[in-house]
Each structure stands twice: as structure tokens, then as C-alpha cells.
Amino acid sequence: MLQKLTRNSLKNGDFRKYSFDSEFEVTYDKNNILSIVNTIYYYTGGAHGMTIKKPYVFDTNTGKIAYLKNFFDKNENYRNIILGEIKKK
């Protein structure tokens, strides 16, 4: 069945290739913090492909993923601190 569909698609000129690409970029590497952005592009047919950027932050001492809350004291409301800084801009 698939071979017949592929043959017909090639004959009619409407066969579309699928693609996937993934790249990593180191955006920060200091003070035992490593930040990497993974840019993913994929095309599975249709009008256009899709690009996704996924950031990762690691504590290089432990090798574990670091979250925002890891950079603040436990009793600090880090969301309010960050929002306050954004509002200043």
C-alpha cells in the first residue's frame, strides 16, 4: 500500500519530504552554571515547518537540571522578585 502511494505521489509530483534538525548552543558557562538552548526544526508536510527552542540550565557541580527556585533562598518569593525587575524595565 505504502509503495503504491509513494509511486503515485512521485508520479503526480506532490511527494513532500519530511525533515528534522536539532542544534544546541551554549549560552552561558560560568560559576558552575551551564545554559544550553536546543533549537529544533521539523517539517512534516503542510504550509511550513515548525521551530521550537528549549532551554536547559544545569548545575555543573551536580549535573542536575537547575530551576529558578534553585537560585533563591527557600523563603524568598522569586516570582515576585523577577516580576518586580521586569516592571522596572
Side-chain angles (χ1 to χ4, degrees):
M1 176 75 172
L2 180 60
Q3 288 177 344
K4 183 178 178 182
L5 287 171
T6 303
R7 222 178 295 118
N8 286 340
S9 293
L10 288 172
K11 194 184 305 180
N12 296 332
D14 61 356
F15 186 78
R16 296 181 186 210
K17 293 182 180 180
Y18 299 115
S19 66
F20 176 87
D21 185 47
S22 179
E23 296 177 356
F24 289 89
E25 177 186 0
V26 175
T27 56
Y28 187 87
D29 187 6
K30 294 178 187 171
N31 305 319
N32 301 313
I33 304 295
L34 175 66
S35 178
I36 298 173
V37 176
N38 180 12
T39 302
I40 300 167
Y41 171 83
Y42 62 93
Y43 175 78
T44 58
H48 52 81
M50 294 290 294
T51 300
I52 298 170
K53 288 187 178 265
K54 295 185 84 172
Y56 299 94
V57 179
F58 297 93
D59 178 336
T60 58
N61 288 323
T62 64
K64 294 182 179 181
I65 290 179
Y67 299 95
L68 275 176
K69 65 182 178 181
N70 301 128
F71 298 99
F72 295 89
D73 291 331
K74 289 183 181 183
N75 295 329
E76 285 185 294
N77 188 337
Y78 66 91
R79 290 183 176 152
N80 285 343
I81 294 169
I82 293 169
L83 286 173
E85 290 299 315
I86 291 170
K87 289 176 182 178
K88 287 181 188 177
K89 307 278 175 181

